[in-house]
Amino acid sequence: MKIGLFGGTFDPVHPGHIHAVVEAYIALDLDKVICIPARQSPLKTEVPTSDHHRLKMLEHAVRHYDFIEIDTWEMEQEGVSYTYDTAVHLKTQYPDDALFFLIGTDQYRSFEKWHRYQELLEMLNFVVMDRFSDAPVSDDRFMIISQPVLEISSTIIRERIREGIQVRHQLDPEVYQYIKENHLYEA
């Protein structure tokens, strides 16, 4: 089986995330994609919204995609979420499957800062989802798929909510409703 892996804090998850996953699923002819919400990213300083809320929003966002699953293993671990530890876990779960770890160009550019990145390259197939708007990626250690990307930012969504600026158009309707009902990201 060919399995795509897509990690992130998903704080909040937005249509740009889902668009990237679906485009990778098509381009790589994957059997499924597993979204892996992180407890705390080692390269981000901001503490994310609670695991419970981020998981609920992700569940709402992927509910209509039968090829997308959610793996909460990282959320169940203590401390910072390292992709290396997750890769070891997933290799034991799927020993005979081809695993494709999907990253954006921003993650690609900081890849050498990742914990045990050289070992990761041996364990997983890394796929850079290269946006048409970015400078081209040229690195034979990575598969590259070009795709149009919805330019939506979780950071900007959080900031706009804090400032009382409209964000409904940047979120799945159920995710937007969940954020409003739970007063997430408000000042």
Side-chain angles (χ1 to χ4, degrees):
M1 210 164 37
K2 292 171 65 176
I3 302 172
L5 308 172
F6 189 60
T9 50
F10 304 109
D11 191 19
V13 62
H14 56 68
H17 294 126
I18 304 306
H19 177 78
V21 165
V22 173
E23 289 295 319
Y25 171 79
I26 294 166
L28 298 169
D29 192 29
L30 299 172
D31 294 294
K32 69 178 176 179
V33 177
I34 301 172
C35 289
I36 308 163
R39 174 176 220 103
Q40 173 65 49
S41 171
L43 299 178
K44 293 185 179 179
T45 55
E46 187 175 342
V47 176
T49 303
S50 77
D51 294 349
H52 169 77
H53 288 310
R54 290 184 298 118
L55 181 57
K56 287 294 182 193
M57 288 185 285
L58 188 56
E59 288 170 350
H60 285 302
V62 303
R63 72 200 174 286
H64 297 299
Y65 300 91
D66 60 355
F67 60 89
I68 301 177
E69 299 176 5
I70 300 171
D71 184 316
T72 60
W73 186 83
E74 282 191 12
M75 285 184 156
E76 296 161 6
Q77 308 309 303
E78 293 298 320
V80 172
S81 299
Y82 289 108
T83 302
Y84 175 82
D85 298 328
T86 305
V88 169
H89 164 72
L90 291 169
K91 291 294 280 180
T92 61
Q93 298 290 97
Y94 303 98
D96 300 322
D97 297 310
L99 303 178
F100 296 85
F101 200 90
L102 310 172
I103 63 174
T105 51
D106 53 339
Q107 294 166 312
Y108 162 75
R109 286 187 178 79
S110 66
F111 189 76
E112 292 185 357
K113 294 179 183 176
W114 288 28
H115 179 65
R116 299 174 82 164
Y117 75 93
Q118 291 172 321
E119 293 168 74
L120 279 170
L121 288 167
E122 308 270 328
M123 298 170 70
L124 303 171
N125 301 294
F126 279 85
V127 179
V128 179
M129 296 178 293
D130 191 22
R131 298 183 281 207
F132 293 137
S133 61
D134 289 332
V137 173
S138 177
D139 189 325
D140 61 1
R141 300 174 302 172
F142 296 83
M143 294 177 65
I144 298 154
I145 55 173
S146 293
Q147 58 178 256
V149 172
L150 300 176
E151 296 289 346
I152 301 174
S153 162
S154 295
T155 302
I156 292 172
I157 289 170
R158 290 191 306 270
E159 288 171 1
R160 285 184 171 184
I161 291 171
R162 273 192 288 275
E163 295 170 10
I165 299 171
Q166 183 58 252
V167 295
R168 179 185 293 263
H169 64 293
Q170 294 183 321
L171 293 164
D172 172 278
E174 287 187 33
V175 171
Y176 176 79
Q177 190 61 38
Y178 185 87
I179 289 170
K180 294 302 282 178
E181 287 173 2
N182 290 279
H183 307 285
L184 301 179
Y185 313 113
E186 294 175 359

